[in-house]
Amino acid sequence: MRGRDDDGAGLGGLLTREVKVVAAGASVLADALAEQAVPVEPVEWRPPAEDLAGDLAVVMGDRRRADANAEAVRRMLDARPHLVDVRPASEVLGIERGAFLHAGPPLTWDRASGPMRGALIGAALFEGLADTPEDAERMLRTAPIDPCHHHRAVGPMAGVVSPSMWMFVVEDAESGGTAYCSLNEGLGKVLRYGAYGPEVIERLRWMAGDLGPALRDAVRAHGPVDLRAIMAQALHMGDELHNRNRAATSLFVRELAGDLAEAGGAEALRFAAGNDHFFLNLAMAAGKVSTDAARGVPGSSMVVAMARNGTDFGVQVSGTGDRWFTGPAGVPDGLYLGSYGPADANPDIGDSTITETTGVGGFAMAAAPAIVRFIGGEVPDALAATQRMYEITLAEHPAFQVPILDFRGTPVGIDVTKVVRTGLLPVVNTGIAGRVAGTGQVGAGLVSPPAEVFPQAVRALAEEATITP
Amino acid sequence: MSEPTRPSRRLDTLGTKELVEVRPGAYHDSVTLMRAGRRLTERPGVSAALTAMATTLNVDLLAEMGFTPPRGARPDDLLVAIRADDEAALEAARAAVDELLATRAAPRAFGAPPPARTTGSAARRIDATVALISVPGPYVFAEAMDALEAGLNPMIFSDNVPVEHELALKETAARRGLLVMGPDCGTAVIGGVGLGFANVVRPGRIGLVAASGTGAQQVMSLLDEAGAGISHVLGVGGRDLSAEISGRSALQALRALDADPATDLIVVVSKPPAPEVGDLIRAAARRLATPVRFGLLGEGGADLTAVAEDALKAVGAPVPSWPSWTPAARAHAPRRGRIRGLFAGGTLCAEASIVAGATPHEMTDLGDDRYTRGRAHPMIDPTLRLERLAAETASDANAVVLIDVVLGHGADPDPAAALVPLVRDARVPVVVSLCGTSGDPQGRDRQARALTDAGAAVFASNAAATRHAVTLAEGS
């Protein structure tokens, strides 16, 4: 809402200011105004695909909504995520040996996709809980598995976390909240894409034994690393912070290089510097701590999590607590590595959609023209993708800007009512995992959440709205 | 990365002459679609056509038209149904659909934002004071709430808005110091700008608060004719003065016009309100510094012309003799019988019924929901009324046929053109109530001359037109 110079007549200056009109609906009425040389801003209105008029009106009429959304988006945008420590999952997440975390909404082994099963198998082998993949599979049928999101954590792709893995510890200097994300393994045959061969397990052991402690020592020596500042700069340098993290990784490595060297972490430095996606996990933890700050505002229709487990795509909304609204995860549309094709692709997977939830990733596509063709588009498409997202969001990010859009803040704070009203789905940039356990990454591209999750959320908000119009 | 485009599917082809097509996600507004459907029907060899969004209502309508409704169509899918005499006509009509529905996509600069998709988004792009909303009634609420939250006054043209939505919107508007015009508000004039269906009126000192669209158009047209002019016309919607809504918008509008230095007299134009609401509004009016006259149709025998005359007297302006145009010669010998009224304006229809009184008459409002199902309002799409007019002017059951022609922004650009042949061929006298001003884009006097030349008697006052019809129906 905009402040207005009101006069005695009130009505927002209806009778005193120049008549300018927003017109939604029949074009003949907008045309009649244009013929009178009246400035008109037309709305390209379309009916929602589902008959939600009643529930939508209840939610739109909820007197708490406007303030609740303002509060939720304020908390998310006020967050000042800092990397403060690097510690083993067993110490910070309270998960016991034999338990595992995974990406996305809740899942059972029976419904788990190939890469999810592969990553769980790899984690079981890494933890020494099984000697062979077959043993691991038997053990995993009954092992406790739980979403990362339920433990203030996020994980890319399969997002599997076991107690011996090391985690970035990110604190919000504003709210005091904490969030966690695993360390990025690099590209190729990696656990998060469902690979569990010997080289994968060996790398995980090195990360837990060397990389984690070296990073811990360096971060402790350096003091808190301001992730928001790095992300803001990286957007000016061609990253969108989901599929392109090259600039952010460089900035982060530069920031920590001296302390890593002093901590004896030359190999760690080489590893981080050689992995263009090293920063992704930090951007994710920063996103998680920001969205967690915005959870639980009664009446708010703002999305606080979008996450996929390789089978389901789930969203959570500030005003509906920890409830997940889920639908089948789609197969991303994009480009494939080597001889891989769409038939090799697993449905969408990973918590990395926390980046889009916080106004980067696909929402900042216009900031990353360098990777537009990688995901099968042209530069104007990238600008259009970001511009379209303003139609479904509550705010423009005060720190994350898109230079080519005249430094406009990125669209942030997805409002489920706007998604349902416009039929525009959040645009997500993502990697594509192979559908067979052990394959690894097969491509990268774009994906949308299943359309039905947003009407579910609107219906739940309508039920929850205690004050109806 | 662009919007997904899905190919259209031909769901059903019966024989060689009929097709029903579903075009997923191709949205157009109802007026555009109705006009396209009408154009298709006018094509040689085409016997029936429907272009409409696949709402339950329109799918039913399709079945009523004898087409096989497609299965699984959603409200955001476009239905195209055509029945033609032969394959060539069918194919040509199908090809014409694209052209008729082609949207004029403005050339976009690199990186220019795509069109706004919600009222809230559009409101961020322009420093507007009004949101003119004409989306289907059940969907109005979200757009109007967007407008109120952005500090805009919604003018809701749509009907079929649930009354609980109207109440909630008006309560929100009151908290925010804004005015909801409507729902079912066809007319407003703000600072000389006509919104919806509105006549071009000269600026003046009289402000209207109108719960009746064509009622307000009649009064503003007559005031313009008298040279008095109009400051503003604030529509409040036909239900505003009901017991449920309790005049919430009328009270806001009265206060706003009272505070407006350009307004010296306020006239409330409405059908009689619910009694307790009438008392409330009168009490509120007494507290204002600006005098308020009540033009309540039918109350104490008042007609809209009398309301305009009363307003003129209140500001000390002379009452002119209202324009009328009579044909050079009477084409029909008078005979006693029934007045058959075919109206586009609901209030004009109601007024004609009141003025006709005991004289036998049947007045039909073709803008009523019963007739606009699956069609545009007769002020936009005259097809139905022209059909009725042809039938009624050929019928011996009628002594006289009375019609209204409403001019102004938003209305048919040349209504007389289609009426003239029917008036010329009429077997009974035709009387026209011509609601408009000399400034209207259609040219009131030019419309009047065309109709008079064809043999109609034309009156600027709807009451005078009805009285003339009464005279004819009584055989004089």
Side-chain angles (χ1 to χ4, degrees), chain B residues 41 113 168 227 354 414 443:
Chain B
T41 314
I354 290 164
D414 186 9

Side-chain angles (χ1 to χ4, degrees), chain A residues 10 21 46 87 89 143 172 176 213 241 252 255 258 279 299-300 391 421 450:
Chain A
V21 180
R46 297 179 194 182
R87 295 175 67 190
D172 172 12
L241 296 164
F252 175 75
E255 178 96 24
F279 190 82
S300 169
E391 298 299 313
R421 286 170 62 192

Side-chain angles (χ1 to χ4, degrees), chain A residues 84-375:
Chain A
V84 296
D85 206 348
V86 184
R87 295 175 67 190
S90 58
E91 293 176 17
V92 290
L93 293 179
I95 46 171
E96 302 290 334
R97 184 172 157 82
F100 303 88
L101 302 186
H102 63 80
L107 184 69
T108 56
W109 174 266
D110 293 343
R111 297 184 67 243
S113 63
M116 180 60 79
R117 288 183 178 192
L120 286 165
I121 290 167
L125 296 172
F126 162 65
E127 292 289 342
L129 295 164
D131 292 329
T132 66
E134 292 71 27
D135 284 350
E137 211 171 316
R138 264 190 296 280
M139 174 251 154
L140 284 161
R141 284 177 199 282
T142 54
I145 64 172
D146 208 24
C148 290
H149 265 291
H150 294 187
H151 296 262
R152 293 187 289 170
V154 278
M157 301 309 286
V160 169
V161 175
S162 62
S164 305
M165 293 180 189
W166 282 58
M167 310 293 286
F168 289 123
V169 180
V170 171
E171 279 184 12
D172 172 12
E174 180 74 19
S175 71
T178 309
Y180 308 94
C181 187
S182 52
L183 312 183
N184 195 289
E185 312 158 74
L187 286 172
K189 298 271 185 199
V190 286
L191 187 81
R192 69 177 190 280
Y193 279 97
Y196 54 81
E199 75 274 31
V200 176
I201 308 304
E202 196 179 320
R203 188 187 308 110
L204 288 174
R205 295 222 165 98
W206 172 79
M207 287 170 71
D210 291 18
L211 179 66
L215 283 169
R216 174 197 58 202
D217 294 347
V219 169
R220 287 182 180 178
H222 176 280
V225 179
D226 185 346
L227 299 176
R228 178 167 153 136
I230 291 178
M231 292 167 76
Q233 289 177 68
L235 288 170
H236 288 188
M237 298 165 71
D239 282 357
E240 43 68 83
L241 296 164
H242 188 169
N243 265 4
R244 191 181 199 268
N245 287 283
R246 182 173 291 181
T249 297
S250 304
L251 291 169
F252 175 75
V253 168
R254 189 174 72 169
E255 178 96 24
L256 224 54
D259 293 300
L260 261 175
E262 279 185 5
E267 207 179 340
L269 186 56
R270 212 172 284 122
F271 179 81
N275 172 5
D276 281 342
H277 286 288
F278 194 75
F279 190 82
L280 172 64
N281 300 38
L282 286 160
M284 287 174 61
K288 176 63 176 167
V289 84
S290 307
T291 50
D292 277 1
R295 281 178 181 263
V297 181
S300 169
S301 53
M302 190 183 86
V303 173
V304 291
M306 295 196 289
R308 315 87 94 199
N309 59 30
T311 305
D312 313 304
F313 195 123
V315 302
Q316 292 179 307
V317 174
S318 180
T320 54
D322 292 333
R323 189 166 160 188
W324 287 97
F325 307 101
T326 62
V331 173
D333 177 21
L335 294 184
Y336 287 85
L337 307 172
S339 59
Y340 290 119
D344 302 308
N346 195 72
D348 198 18
I349 187 166
D351 287 334
S352 54
T353 25
I354 198 74
T355 55
E356 279 81 13
T357 314
T358 48
V360 292
F363 283 48
M365 198 61 219
I371 57 157
V372 162
R373 295 166 88 176
F374 177 53
I375 55 167

Side-chain angles (χ1 to χ4, degrees), chain A residues 24-26 45-48 51 53, chain B residues 27-31 33-34 53 55 57-58 75 133-144 156-162 165 183:
Chain A
W45 187 89
R46 297 179 194 182
D51 183 17
Chain B
Y27 178 75
H28 297 273
D29 72 70
S30 57
V31 175
L33 289 170
M34 287 162 188
M53 300 311 293
T55 58
L57 190 77
N58 288 331
I133 297 167
S134 54
V135 304
Y139 297 106
V140 158
F141 188 81
E143 304 307 318
I156 303 169
F157 186 86
S158 322
D159 54 10
N160 291 316
V161 176
H165 290 187

